Amino acid sequence: MAKDRLRERAMPSPTEIRIKVEAAERMVARAEKRLATETEAHQERLRRYELRVREDRAAGRRGANGRPPVPMERKTVLVRQRTRLVKMRAWLERARTPRPVPSPESRGCLSDPDSRLIPGKRGGYLQGYNIQIVCARRQFLLAIEAHDNPSDRTALVPMVKKTQHNHRAARLPGDIQLWLADSGYASAASFETLADLPLLVSVTSDADQAGFPAKRQQAPAGQQDMAARLATPTGRAQYRRRSALVEPGFAQIFQRFGRHLNYRGRNAVDAEIKLLGTVHNLNKLIKHTPKNRS
């Protein structure tokens, strides 16, 4: 069971495959362009040399053009670029057809093979689950899920889809007006998939996005459109609402239920966290006091 889980996790998700394929395609395109440029330049040098030699012979002069250029097949820069292109194409092929080969250092938990090794809140690691939540105002949960990856980057699209499903199932009126997420969810592939939604995701760092000094102030490649959207006064004002919506939601859940689950296995954990989320929402509804308008 644990070995099966390791092989499953060695296979990247569809989103991860797409990201790797797109990166490999860009590398192949750059290698092909560089090889074409270097090939054309060297062909031009060979052509000019041959032209000078013919002109000397026609004029009855001895060749005084120096050492002839290196043939195409032995030109060092061309050999290097051809080798690089072969490697990039092999990388692209591996990205398109990944094979689930776990690292020799990979280890599975025998008591709960579905769990993952997760970075601890205060350093170190723990065996557990990456729990994701989507909060509305007053920390009312719209979705709570266990994400099968320690990283949040590939969780954005599944959580948005799950929230939309719950929204329709609850027959709530209208559409969600704004989606907010921190920089851990930033991904060019996710932005493209969710391009039709009013989405704001920090692409530098939360500190920089909130207007405070930060180390990372430049958006990665492929995320410039989101950076421009966040750079507007409206985008900055809207994004500042994110931490007050979701961070207290985690704090309230952990304060009420703790950080430890009682069951093991993905299905049991999924049922438990949804039960905890339901209790959390019921508590919100019971204690909610409508504001009286004066």
Side-chain angles (χ1 to χ4, degrees):
M1 185 71 172
K3 288 184 178 180
D4 294 339
R5 287 290 182 270
L6 290 177
R7 293 190 65 82
E8 290 175 7
R9 288 169 183 163
M11 175 68 75
S13 68
T15 301
E16 291 174 315
I17 292 175
R18 181 181 177 186
I19 292 173
K20 291 181 179 180
V21 167
E22 289 176 350
E25 287 175 343
R26 289 194 296 269
M27 295 295 291
V28 168
R30 283 198 291 268
E32 289 176 341
K33 183 178 179 180
R34 180 70 183 276
L35 178 59
T37 301
E38 295 292 346
T39 300
E40 183 179 353
H42 195 62
Q43 286 176 338
E44 180 62 20
R45 284 192 287 271
L46 289 172
R47 189 190 66 78
R48 289 200 302 266
Y49 180 81
E50 291 296 331
L51 179 60
R52 290 197 302 270
V53 170
R54 287 197 299 268
E55 290 175 348
D56 287 344
R57 289 174 180 173
R61 297 190 298 267
R62 294 178 60 185
N65 292 292
R67 182 181 299 176
V70 177
M72 295 288 293
E73 64 274 7
R74 293 196 291 112
K75 180 64 176 176
T76 302
V77 66
L78 296 180
V79 172
R80 186 166 59 245
Q81 289 302 320
R82 283 194 289 265
T83 303
R84 177 178 176 79
L85 180 57
V86 170
K87 290 182 179 179
M88 293 301 101
R89 285 174 174 168
W91 182 27
L92 175 58
E93 184 61 27
R94 289 195 300 270
R96 286 174 173 168
T97 57
R99 296 179 180 179
V101 181
S103 167
E105 300 178 355
S106 298
R107 297 292 183 272
C109 179
L110 297 179
S111 61
D112 187 0
D114 292 326
S115 63
R116 299 293 296 264
L117 199 62
I118 306 291
K121 184 69 174 178
R122 296 176 178 82
Y125 294 87
L126 57 87
Q127 195 75 31
Y129 291 84
N130 182 357
I131 303 301
Q132 301 284 329
I133 64 173
V134 178
C135 286
R137 287 180 295 179
R138 301 182 181 88
Q139 294 76 50
F140 192 86
L141 297 187
L142 300 179
I144 180 168
E145 297 290 329
H147 181 54
D148 190 27
N149 196 317
S151 172
D152 295 334
R153 179 167 297 181
T154 56
L156 183 60
V157 174
M159 290 305 295
V160 167
K161 299 300 184 184
K162 186 62 178 180
T163 303
Q164 291 174 328
H165 169 78
N166 293 345
H167 190 274
R168 291 190 298 267
R171 298 182 180 179
L172 298 176
D175 295 325
I176 296 175
Q177 299 299 309
L178 182 64
W179 301 81
L180 302 170
D182 64 31
S183 56
Y185 297 86
S187 163
S190 298
F191 295 163
E192 183 178 347
T193 302
L194 305 174
D196 58 331
L197 295 181
L199 175 68
L200 291 177
V201 180
S202 175
V203 294
T204 53
S205 67
D206 285 0
D208 177 63
Q209 189 55 53
F212 299 102
K215 293 182 180 180
R216 185 157 59 96
Q217 299 177 349
Q218 298 296 326
Q223 301 179 15
Q224 303 299 330
D225 290 343
M226 181 61 70
R229 196 183 309 172
L230 287 162
T232 63
T234 301
R236 284 186 175 274
Q238 290 177 332
Y239 185 80
R240 287 194 189 100
R241 300 165 57 189
R242 185 205 66 83
S243 60
L245 289 173
V246 67
E247 300 302 345
F250 278 113
Q252 292 166 15
I253 292 173
F254 294 149
Q255 175 67 26
R256 182 171 290 117
F257 306 113
R259 291 178 174 268
H260 298 280
L261 298 173
N262 297 298
Y263 294 91
R264 296 179 180 180
R266 181 60 183 268
N267 293 334
V269 166
D270 186 65
E272 182 175 359
I273 63 173
K274 284 180 169 54
L275 177 60
L276 299 181
T278 302
V279 174
H280 171 85
N281 281 349
L282 288 174
N283 183 71
K284 289 284 183 180
L285 292 173
I286 292 171
K287 293 186 176 181
H288 174 63
T289 303
K291 293 183 179 180
N292 296 322
R293 296 183 178 179
S294 57

